[in-house]
Amino acid sequence: MNIKNRLLKATFNIRKEGFKNYFLNRFLILSSRVSTPFSWTWRKFRYRLVGLIYGYKFDYDSVRLAQLECFCHELAAYSLSQNSKLQNIRNMEVASLLKLSEDAFQRQNFAEALSLLDRASCIDAEYPSLAETYARYSEGIYLETGIFEDLHFRASLGALKSLKYKYYESCFFNPFGDSSKILDSVWTGAIGHLGLLAQFIQAKKIGLLPENNIRYVVVSNRVANACYLSYLCSLGEIDVIHQNDYKYFYDYGLLPFCESLEVWQTKDGYEDLSSMLNKVYERWRSEKRSPLLKIESDHRERGLKVLEDLNIPADAWFVSFHVRSGSSGKNNRRDGRNCEIDSYIPAIKAITDAGGYVFRMGDHTIKPLPEMSNVVDYALSPYKSDWMDVFLWACCRFFVGTNSGPVVIPPSFGVPQLCTNVSPFAIFPSLPNSLMIPKLWYSRTKQRLLTFSEMLASPAAWCERRTLGDDLVLVDNTPDELADGIREMIELTQDGIAEGQYDIVKDLSNPLQIKLYKICETYKAYGKLPLSRPFLEKYATLIA
């Protein structure tokens, strides 16, 4: 039976469970769309009706909110055994609570934010889907009390693992059969997620995933880069069906049966994404494997023809750039990953002064670069295409990126990179042949930069915000720090990267770097990516 028919059969199996269950789910979905999360009268009506359907009788005027939420959990637990779609309802309620809590954060009302996050975490503890619920909860506790509850941050990972166990090991049927596993369009819709698909294939090749005979099928109608996906398909580990997956997964409650992006099923159980990426890179390195992908010769020639059209000599070298700008508006709790392209101008000139060329990558919404010799603002040029993106990732001397999607693509071709303005650095993976320049945090009350230990002992090293309360402010890399990092990369890559090389820094015995590794291990940070030497030496006093 082909995968499309299997999906249709799974849909039928769920739909035939009965009119009562189907009516319940349709009612909850539609009612949640037309009411606000805290419309109390409307919520009481919804829960009263659901209670009547399933035989529950409660005096809603006398029960407290916590008891009502407990009832909702019991109801969801019962209904979930019949139809996993109710998890999507809980997700929407959690998402609404998170939005309201962010509004409270913006008003500096941390007590209200913490109360809202407490509700969200109670819901998500039963059917966890949003790891950020716990990340925000830990931030709220820190802002209200000054105590960093690391356990709340890490609890989400354990809860998500429990959820996957519930579905994969305890579900009443396997809608996709025993020979296939499904990855939905979350894995392909964003370029960073598409890059994670490469690491997923690496994990399968080195035996970290269960049952190597299982075929992985990507069902997607959204692909960030079709050319790169075709390279991944050529490895023979995955198939792709271009289909509107929400028709099958969201509307009929099959999303929980898909392979999660945040938690991967392994031979030993379940592993969160950050931990899994480091395991993949470390195992790949220990087995001295070649890069996962290699650009095809005709593809390379086609890219070189574009360089010729741009009057770039055939023997010239170039560096590809991508700087995450994004929006920094209200309620953007991930704006800590953003930075300004203008601060990279000296770094770009360091490349051109050394005889290289620069290709600036991105989408059509980015701010244009000023006119500079040997610089191609490729993202805004007529040459931009999916295949040319791949050429620039695979054939550059090294890649310069930030904490954004494209940073995971070049390693699949064995290309070294300089990871700049990294935040949060505590969960950044140990990419091969790479250096990192992290963002730092400044305390207004202490009137100084936080040490690495202080950052790791607070949400600063773990969150994606630009500010934490009125005290802590994120500090971007300076133009000089970026330029120094570029000069170091030019020096380290002057002889190229040898086959099977994984550490661009030949001498890893720098005492400052070793001391920083030990600090990160103390606080259970992920990854061991070396810092750029000039940056490390400049901030030696912060490694305490």
Side-chain angles (χ1 to χ4, degrees), residues 396-497:
C396 58
R397 177 164 168 174
F398 60 88
F399 183 80
V400 179
T402 57
N403 192 5
S404 58
V407 80
V408 295
I409 303 289
S412 61
F413 290 98
V415 173
Q417 59 185 324
L418 177 65
C419 306
T420 62
N421 278 301
V422 173
S423 180
F425 75 86
I427 60 174
F428 200 75
S430 299
L431 301 172
N433 290 318
S434 300
L435 295 179
M436 174 173 67
I437 308 179
K439 293 186 180 185
L440 300 175
W441 285 83
Y442 181 82
S443 169
R444 293 188 176 114
T445 58
K446 297 178 180 179
Q447 295 188 341
R448 63 170 175 81
L449 293 170
L450 296 184
T451 66
F452 282 95
S453 293
E454 288 172 328
M455 287 187 279
L456 287 163
S458 75
W462 308 84
C463 76
E464 298 177 329
R465 295 182 182 276
R466 186 160 285 277
T467 60
L468 275 170
D470 292 326
D471 182 30
L472 301 183
V473 182
L474 196 61
V475 180
D476 288 6
N477 302 156
T478 67
D480 287 342
E481 291 164 1
L482 295 168
D484 287 341
I486 289 292
R487 294 187 188 98
E488 183 181 12
M489 287 296 292
I490 292 174
E491 177 186 347
L492 291 172
T493 59
Q494 61 183 352
D495 297 325
I497 299 298

Side-chain angles (χ1 to χ4, degrees), residues 379-398:
L380 303 177
S381 76
Y383 296 100
K384 180 170 173 56
S385 63
D386 61 345
W387 69 266
M388 190 63 186
D389 282 351
V390 174
F391 172 81
L392 294 177
W393 286 322
C395 298
C396 58
R397 177 164 168 174
F398 60 88

Side-chain angles (χ1 to χ4, degrees), residues 212-455:
N212 283 337
N213 61 321
I214 288 181
R215 192 80 173 171
Y216 287 86
V217 180
V218 180
V219 181
S220 178
N221 64 321
R222 297 178 297 154
V223 179
N225 188 295
C227 179
Y228 186 72
L229 181 58
S230 69
Y231 268 90
L232 296 180
C233 291
S234 69
L235 298 171
E237 302 289 349
I238 60 173
D239 296 321
V240 177
I241 296 177
H242 296 280
Q243 181 63 260
N244 187 345
D245 57 335
Y246 259 56
K247 174 177 176 56
Y248 300 105
F249 298 136
Y250 184 81
D251 284 351
Y252 299 124
L254 297 178
L255 278 175
F257 294 101
C258 298
E259 292 293 300
S260 168
L261 187 73
E262 291 183 294
V263 176
W264 297 7
Q265 185 182 18
T266 70
K267 282 185 174 180
D268 302 322
Y270 297 88
E271 200 76 43
D272 62 271
L273 175 61
S274 296
S275 175
M276 195 65 187
L277 289 181
N278 284 301
K279 285 189 175 182
V280 170
Y281 288 130
E282 288 171 7
R283 176 76 69 83
W284 201 269
R285 176 187 286 109
S286 66
E287 295 182 3
K288 302 185 185 305
R289 290 177 176 252
S290 299
L292 180 69
L293 300 173
K294 184 176 181 180
I295 191 166
E296 297 172 353
S297 58
D298 58 340
H299 190 167
R300 180 186 293 273
E301 291 301 319
R302 191 179 178 192
L304 292 174
K305 179 63 171 63
V306 171
L307 300 191
E308 182 182 339
D309 293 344
L310 292 168
N311 297 317
I312 297 176
D315 58 348
W317 58 273
F318 66 89
V319 174
S320 299
F321 257 80
H322 179 267
V323 175
R324 188 184 197 270
S325 54
S327 61
S328 298
K330 183 180 179 181
N331 289 347
N332 186 358
R333 68 175 296 270
R334 290 190 170 90
D335 60 359
R337 296 165 60 189
N338 299 338
C339 43
E340 288 295 330
I341 186 62
D342 292 342
S343 64
Y344 286 79
I345 300 300
I348 291 173
K349 289 182 177 178
I351 295 170
T352 57
D353 289 347
Y357 289 76
V358 172
F359 282 82
R360 191 272 193 97
M361 305 181 71
D363 60 37
H364 67 280
T365 65
I366 59 177
K367 175 183 176 181
L369 283 173
E371 290 289 335
M372 290 182 284
S373 61
N374 291 12
V375 176
V376 179
D377 208 353
Y378 161 77
L380 303 177
S381 76
Y383 296 100
K384 180 170 173 56
S385 63
D386 61 345
W387 69 266
M388 190 63 186
D389 282 351
V390 174
F391 172 81
L392 294 177
W393 286 322
C395 298
C396 58
R397 177 164 168 174
F398 60 88
F399 183 80
V400 179
T402 57
N403 192 5
S404 58
V407 80
V408 295
I409 303 289
S412 61
F413 290 98
V415 173
Q417 59 185 324
L418 177 65
C419 306
T420 62
N421 278 301
V422 173
S423 180
F425 75 86
I427 60 174
F428 200 75
S430 299
L431 301 172
N433 290 318
S434 300
L435 295 179
M436 174 173 67
I437 308 179
K439 293 186 180 185
L440 300 175
W441 285 83
Y442 181 82
S443 169
R444 293 188 176 114
T445 58
K446 297 178 180 179
Q447 295 188 341
R448 63 170 175 81
L449 293 170
L450 296 184
T451 66
F452 282 95
S453 293
E454 288 172 328
M455 287 187 279

Side-chain angles (χ1 to χ4, degrees), residues 25-36:
N25 286 298
R26 297 313 300 173
F27 169 74
L28 286 177
I29 286 180
L30 293 174
S31 62
S32 67
R33 290 175 180 171
V34 300
S35 66
T36 61

Side-chain angles (χ1 to χ4, degrees), residues 184-196:
D184 69 336
S185 62
V186 170
W187 287 84
T188 61
I191 191 60
H193 296 182
L194 191 57
L196 294 178

